[in-house]
Amino acid sequence: MTLNDLKEGQQAIILKIRGRGTFRHRIIELGFVRGQTVRVLRSAPLKDPVVFRILDSEVSLRRAEASQIEVLVCSMEEAREYAALKPVRTFEKDRCHGNPQEDPLEKKLDSSSVIEVCMVGNPNTGKTSLYNALSGSSEHVGNYSGVTVDAKTAEFVYKGHRIRLTDLPGTYSFSPYSPEERVVMEQLLERRPDVIVNVVDASNLERNLYMTTQLIDMDYRVVMALNMYDELQASGADLQYEYLGKLLGIPVVPTVGRTQTGTGALLDKVIDVNEDRDQTVRHTHIPYSEEMERSLRDLQEAIWQDPWYDNIYSSRYLAIKLLEGDTEWIDRANVLENADRFKQMAEAERNRLQKMYGEDIDQVFADYRYAFVRGALKECYRPAALYTRRRRSPHRTCRHGRAVRHRARRLYRTRERNALAVRGRITARLDNLLTHRIWSFPIFLAFLWMMFQATFTLGQYPMDWIESGVEALAAWLNSVMPDNILRAVLVDGIIQGVGGVLVFLPNILILFLFISLMEATGYMARVAFIMDKLMHTIGLHGKSFIPLIIGFGCNVPAIMATRTIENKKDRLITMLILPFMSCSARLPVYVLLTGMFFGAKAGTVIFLIYLFGILLSILSALLFRHTILRAFDSPFVMEMPPYRWPTWRSVGQSLGTRTMQYLKKMGGVILIASVIVWALGYFPISPEVSLPEGVSKQTAGLMQADAEKLHMENSYLGRIGKFIEPVIRPLGMNWQMGICLLAGISAKEVVVSTMSVIMDPAETFTPLSALSFIAFVLLYFPCVAVFSAIGRESGSWKWAAFTAVYTTAVAWIVSFLVFRIGGFFL
């Protein structure tokens, strides 16, 4: 809670001072420091400001300022006890009497105060891997840009300090021109982090440090994580990272996210910076030209005088953004009382500077930032080609025992350089093959065919084992439980429904394994590269292909991945066609029906089903581009990451996360849907059929089967199915299939669970009706989660409604054509 939340007479211990700049320094000078006791005395007649007692003096603060101070409510006894236990620094020995770490109240302060930490950096710098290593999370990682598209937060305790760590999407700047950049900027302003961890790719310093210069202008407290530091060392380059930290005024910590190297040192440094103990931290400015500095100074002085300026963000950064003409920051400046005056000043200065330099002012700012980065690196960085070690005389090195160590280091560096050279040659050869103008497309299609063939063939063995286990469990329950409604709901509802979906878990995991390999190796970015020309031809962006491929796993993260597409109409078209990319939830339907009717050719049939979905998405994109969503072409700019061997740890984490998500879905929506479908098919209860005496077992069985069929048709479920049957009868489907499709609106896995509850697919389907049913499942209404994601990401629920109507209409037409035309061949 904050100081503003206290009532009159309450007292508390200060945990943390938020805010920045002049406010923070002034409040600390008045005694508002961590561990100090403060009490609310009274408020003004209009409830604002409020008078507080601290250090035997009375201080008045506005409620807005009091809300910047986090506190822990305590009793009078706890406050006196903590004041008595607080260490006192002596001048003689210059050390603290007592050990604060052993004080129970100090531990309580550390565990109650939360250090807000945000991780920012360029895409594909290993930021999420480092986040997982720091927090123990298992968020999705990949070797291509744009994997993280939303803020992920984890809270943990490290050495008695509670840390709330937020992983923000990768971005090249803080100018919110695209959705993920807007997410980053909004999170930074909303969370007001105590410390920012700037994740920098050690092998690409000059470009990555450009963002660091923006953080310097924003005047945040920053710790730099020099990630993938092992690659910099292996290259033979030399970086004096401590000296770089002194030049920037930012402490630098080398890390390797995938091996968890340097994570402890990074967290130690975050705590030191948060508690103002690090000597490296200092306030610096990126030096611009004299004329630019004069314009910034005039704007800053005007901003400081505005009564509504609350110092939440840097006045210098706001002045820079106003000069650059950044529309987002101009909108933020509208809350100031003199906003119109600032905009006029900024426009006049911008015109003056652009006339002086002969180019856009944002380009001039970028030139000076890169110049600053190059100057800093010139002082502390030596590339591999220029790095030479100073030779010592043989006599001296041998005398001090250094010759052997020197040769060992030289041999190690030589081996690492050779390994990097080999890796470079392998990367070049792979690119020559995988991005070849002729062979790249056949290789990609062969990879997809192999993926779906393996999904069916390799997944068949564990699928049979799980299916046998489900049947054995159902048979055991039937044998030990009496024939009543409880047994019916357990066996016919839960076991048959959930178990009917569980058997397809191996197939789905194999599909995700292939997608994970594409992401981890860097092949995903190459696919987007080779597909850009084709995507451009159909009116889409090359980056659209990555969400489409992700859609094979699940459409929801695929829709969120469209945030990496800068153009709004390109992003919207990609969202609208994504439901045609067959997600893993539809895979159980394909595996069940193709395996039943197409035998050894099932893998190829599934491959053709997925290709058909891709074809329809292409045709839809062409339709949208030339009708409702006309737009100009947007440029294709995408970073090409180096190839990397996937680590078993990252792949295992990805599959483990997918497994847990699938099991949670079975324990949630699929379980509920299965029970609802069973209940609708069970009620109303029909009277028991009495069999005449002397009837044979075969006749009795047939009569019982007819009675069960009649009961199902007269149940609530049967009545719903009969109601919708006229709509789907032209597609070769009966009311039972219609019920399965209706249940699949909640989640596509429910289609199979409903089949398991209400019918025997081998008796209900024919090869032709199975193909018609598969076509409808491929194309019709996306699940509720996808419907919701489209509404949120597009910014309008009308697009979600349009997608639902459009996909269902296309599904009906295609299924009708499949059934009618297929009748001539099957």
Side-chain angles (χ1 to χ4, degrees):
M1 65 189 309
T2 68
L3 196 58
N4 183 45
D5 299 322
L6 298 183
K7 299 178 180 178
E8 288 188 15
Q10 276 191 308
Q11 65 178 12
I13 297 175
I14 296 175
L15 298 177
K16 181 169 57 179
I17 309 297
R18 292 190 178 276
R20 50 173 304 283
T22 307
F23 163 75
R24 181 181 174 85
H25 293 303
R26 177 56 55 85
I27 212 77
I28 289 174
E29 290 168 357
L30 290 172
F32 289 84
V33 293
R34 184 177 183 273
Q36 194 60 253
T37 305
V38 60
R39 184 157 58 95
V40 183
L41 295 182
R42 60 189 175 275
S43 59
L46 297 178
K47 304 299 183 182
D48 197 10
V50 182
V51 178
F52 301 93
R53 186 165 188 82
I54 188 167
L55 291 178
D56 296 327
S57 62
E58 296 183 3
V59 178
S60 173
L61 294 179
R62 289 178 181 168
R63 291 191 176 273
E65 295 159 349
S67 63
Q68 302 285 324
I69 303 172
E70 287 189 12
V71 296
L72 173 68
V73 176
C74 65
S75 64
M76 292 287 291
E77 291 75 14
E78 286 179 319
R80 281 196 292 266
E81 182 183 355
Y82 181 71
L85 288 174
K86 265 196 305 189
V88 180
R89 186 172 293 280
T90 62
F91 291 98
E92 291 132 13
K93 296 184 180 180
D94 193 30
R95 67 182 182 183
C96 294
H97 291 304
N99 186 355
Q101 294 300 325
E102 296 175 358
D103 298 339
L105 278 175
E106 185 70 28
K107 288 184 178 180
K108 190 174 182 181
L109 285 181
D110 289 336
S111 61
S112 299
S113 176
V114 178
I115 305 175
E116 285 280 359
V117 182
C118 287
M119 299 180 67
V120 301
N122 286 182
N124 211 41
T125 55
K127 185 164 47 61
T128 302
S129 295
L130 187 59
Y131 169 80
N132 289 339
L134 290 170
S135 64
S137 303
S138 55
E139 293 298 336
H140 179 55
V141 298
N143 187 22
Y144 64 97
S145 61
V147 178
T148 303
V149 295
D150 202 1
K152 308 287 190 238
T153 301
E155 193 168 311
F156 57 94
V157 176
Y158 176 77
K159 293 185 177 179
H161 296 268
R162 186 169 295 278
I163 298 174
R164 186 180 294 121
L165 185 65
T166 302
D167 179 26
L168 297 178
T171 178
Y172 296 104
S173 75
F174 295 109
S175 298
Y177 299 134
S178 63
E180 74 272 16
E181 289 174 345
R182 189 169 290 107
V183 167
V184 173
M185 200 67 253
E186 288 176 353
Q187 287 287 330
L188 291 182
L189 294 177
E190 177 185 333
R191 292 183 179 272
R192 303 178 192 175
D194 301 303
V195 182
I196 288 180
V197 174
N198 179 206
V199 184
V200 170
D201 182 357
S203 62
N204 195 350
L205 287 171
E206 185 171 341
R207 196 199 65 200
N208 278 247
L209 289 177
Y210 180 81
M211 175 178 282
T212 309
T213 63
Q214 293 178 300
L215 289 172
I216 291 174
D217 281 332
M218 296 171 78
D219 196 21
Y220 279 111
R221 292 190 290 177
V222 181
V223 175
M224 183 186 298
L226 200 62
N227 204 28
M228 297 188 260
Y229 189 68
D230 56 336
E231 295 188 8
L232 182 141
Q233 289 180 308
S235 68
D238 179 53
L239 174 67
Q240 300 174 36
Y241 60 85
E242 292 180 350
Y243 185 41
L244 174 64
K246 291 179 180 179
L247 293 174
L248 300 176
I250 295 172
V252 180
V253 180
T255 60
V256 183
R258 58 184 176 84
T259 61
Q260 302 186 2
T261 303
T263 54
L266 181 61
L267 290 175
D268 290 337
K269 191 63 68 176
V270 166
I271 293 170
D272 288 344
V273 170
N274 179 65
E275 298 185 354
D276 298 320
R277 293 200 303 254
D278 193 273
Q279 301 299 317
T280 307
V281 177
R282 63 186 179 89
H283 182 60
T284 59
H285 280 318
I286 306 300
Y288 301 110
S289 70
E290 184 177 347
E291 292 296 326
M292 294 168 72
E293 290 290 350
R294 181 165 70 84
S295 299
L296 291 175
R297 187 167 55 251
D298 292 343
L299 271 171
Q300 274 186 275
E301 290 176 354
I303 292 170
W304 289 334
Q305 295 171 7
D306 192 286
W308 288 98
Y309 175 61
D310 54 10
N311 210 30
I312 291 177
Y313 38 77
S314 165
S315 59
R316 181 178 176 86
Y317 189 71
L318 177 58
I320 290 172
K321 287 293 156 185
L322 290 175
L323 275 180
E324 289 181 342
D326 191 311
T327 55
E328 287 281 339
W329 280 91
I330 289 174
D331 290 340
R332 292 186 187 278
N334 285 331
V335 300
L336 301 178
E337 184 176 292
N338 301 314
D340 292 337
R341 178 188 166 210
F342 300 150
K343 286 187 268 189
Q344 291 173 3
M345 287 180 61
E347 186 177 0
E349 291 299 312
R350 181 166 60 251
N351 293 335
R352 182 180 71 85
L353 292 173
Q354 287 182 166
K355 186 176 180 181
M356 178 184 299
Y357 290 103
E359 57 183 340
D360 292 339
I361 192 62
D362 56 346
Q363 178 62 51
V364 179
F365 274 112
D367 291 342
Y368 274 94
R369 288 184 185 127
Y370 274 118
F372 175 80
V373 169
R374 284 191 291 268
L377 291 178
K378 189 175 181 181
E379 295 287 329
C380 59
Y381 176 70
R382 297 293 179 271
L386 303 177
Y387 176 65
T388 56
R389 185 181 293 276
R390 183 172 61 88
R391 293 180 177 272
R392 294 186 176 92
S393 65
H395 176 71
R396 184 182 177 189
T397 54
C398 290
R399 184 177 62 188
H400 292 281
R402 294 172 180 166
V404 174
R405 292 196 298 272
H406 177 62
R407 284 197 296 270
R409 283 195 299 266
R410 188 168 56 188
L411 180 61
Y412 172 78
R413 287 183 180 275
T414 301
R415 287 176 176 173
E416 292 296 326
R417 289 179 189 177
N418 291 340
L420 282 177
V422 170
R423 190 190 307 173
R425 288 195 293 270
I426 292 174
T427 296
R429 290 173 181 174
L430 282 174
D431 271 341
N432 288 338
L433 178 64
L434 297 179
T435 62
H436 192 272
R437 64 186 183 89
I438 296 176
W439 298 112
S440 57
F441 292 103
I443 290 173
F444 176 59
L445 291 175
F447 178 85
L448 289 183
W449 178 85
M450 182 174 63
M451 176 172 70
F452 297 122
Q453 190 68 25
T455 298
F456 183 82
T457 55
L458 296 181
Q460 186 66 42
Y461 301 102
M463 188 176 76
D464 292 340
W465 302 333
I466 297 174
E467 187 174 14
S468 301
V470 171
E471 290 175 355
L473 178 61
W476 178 75
L477 287 176
N478 276 326
S479 65
V480 299
M481 293 184 68
D483 186 8
N484 53 29
I485 190 171
L486 178 60
R487 190 183 82 173
V489 71
L490 280 176
V491 177
D492 299 333
I494 297 175
I495 301 299
Q496 294 296 332
V498 176
V501 180
L502 179 62
V503 298
F504 298 101
L505 176 61
N507 308 85
I508 292 174
L509 289 184
I510 292 172
L511 176 68
F512 275 116
L513 173 62
F514 277 85
I515 295 176
S516 297
L517 292 176
M518 288 179 67
E519 294 176 331
T521 57
Y523 184 48
M524 184 76 83
R526 269 72 184 182
V527 171
F529 169 73
I530 65 174
M531 295 299 295
D532 178 64
K533 182 66 175 178
L534 177 61
M535 302 296 283
H536 179 74
T537 304
I538 65 173
L540 278 180
H541 196 277
K543 284 186 180 180
S544 298
F545 199 72
I546 290 180
L548 297 181
I549 291 294
I550 296 174
F552 286 156
C554 179
N555 284 172
V556 175
I559 288 168
M560 295 180 67
T562 61
R563 293 179 179 180
T564 59
I565 304 170
E566 289 81 3
N567 185 278
K568 184 177 181 180
K569 290 190 176 181
D570 286 342
R571 189 163 62 249
L572 187 55
I573 291 177
T574 307
M575 275 189 267
L576 295 181
I577 66 174
L578 260 170
F580 291 145
M581 306 305 292
S582 188
C583 65
S584 61
R586 296 176 170 101
L587 185 61
V589 180
Y590 308 155
V591 173
L592 176 67
L593 296 180
T594 58
M596 192 175 293
F597 295 107
F598 299 100
K601 298 178 181 179
T604 302
V605 173
I606 295 176
F607 171 65
L608 294 175
I609 292 168
Y610 276 78
L611 283 187
F612 184 67
I614 295 173
L615 175 63
L616 272 179
S617 68
I618 291 173
L619 295 175
S620 298
L622 282 171
L623 175 65
F624 296 150
R625 175 62 75 187
H626 291 92
T627 54
I628 59 176
L629 290 170
R630 296 174 181 267
F632 295 107
D633 294 334
S634 54
F636 178 77
V637 181
M638 183 175 182
E639 184 180 359
M640 299 292 282
Y643 290 103
R644 289 192 172 95
W645 285 107
T647 62
W648 289 111
R649 184 171 180 271
S650 63
V651 174
Q653 277 185 341
S654 176
L655 293 181
T657 302
R658 300 294 185 185
T659 303
M660 292 306 299
Q661 289 175 348
Y662 194 70
L663 294 177
K664 285 180 181 178
K665 186 182 275 191
M666 284 191 294
V669 63
I670 295 174
L671 173 62
I672 294 171
S674 299
V675 173
I676 291 174
V677 168
W678 168 85
L680 290 173
Y682 189 82
F683 297 102
I685 300 176
S686 301
E688 293 188 6
V689 178
S690 57
L691 301 176
E693 296 182 2
V695 176
S696 65
K697 290 184 177 180
Q698 184 178 3
T699 304
L702 291 173
M703 293 179 66
Q704 186 67 32
D706 290 338
E708 290 178 358
K709 182 179 179 182
L710 182 62
H711 166 69
M712 181 63 70
E713 291 183 4
N714 292 326
S715 67
Y716 297 127
L717 194 67
R719 295 172 191 177
I720 296 172
K722 293 291 185 179
F723 178 76
I724 65 173
E725 188 176 30
V727 179
I728 59 174
R729 177 63 68 184
L731 314 181
M733 302 183 201
N734 60 15
W735 65 270
Q736 293 167 304
M737 300 180 197
I739 289 297
C740 295
L741 295 174
L742 200 61
I745 291 176
S746 59
K748 292 299 178 283
E749 294 96 339
V750 180
V751 173
V752 172
S753 68
T754 305
M755 281 188 196
S756 304
V757 172
I758 68 172
M759 66 177 174
D760 182 358
E763 295 179 3
T764 307
F765 285 96
T766 64
L768 184 56
S769 64
L771 275 181
S772 175
F773 187 83
I774 287 173
F776 202 92
V777 170
L778 167 68
L779 304 172
Y780 87 115
F781 185 96
C783 67
V784 173
V786 175
F787 180 85
S788 177
I790 293 175
R792 289 196 311 269
E793 294 297 317
S794 66
S796 174
W797 290 102
K798 71 176 184 180
W799 291 114
F802 172 80
T803 304
V805 173
Y806 176 76
T807 54
T808 305
V810 170
W812 195 95
I813 294 170
V814 171
S815 186
F816 177 83
L817 293 175
V818 167
F819 184 73
R820 296 303 172 185
I821 297 175
F824 295 105
F825 304 98
L826 295 177

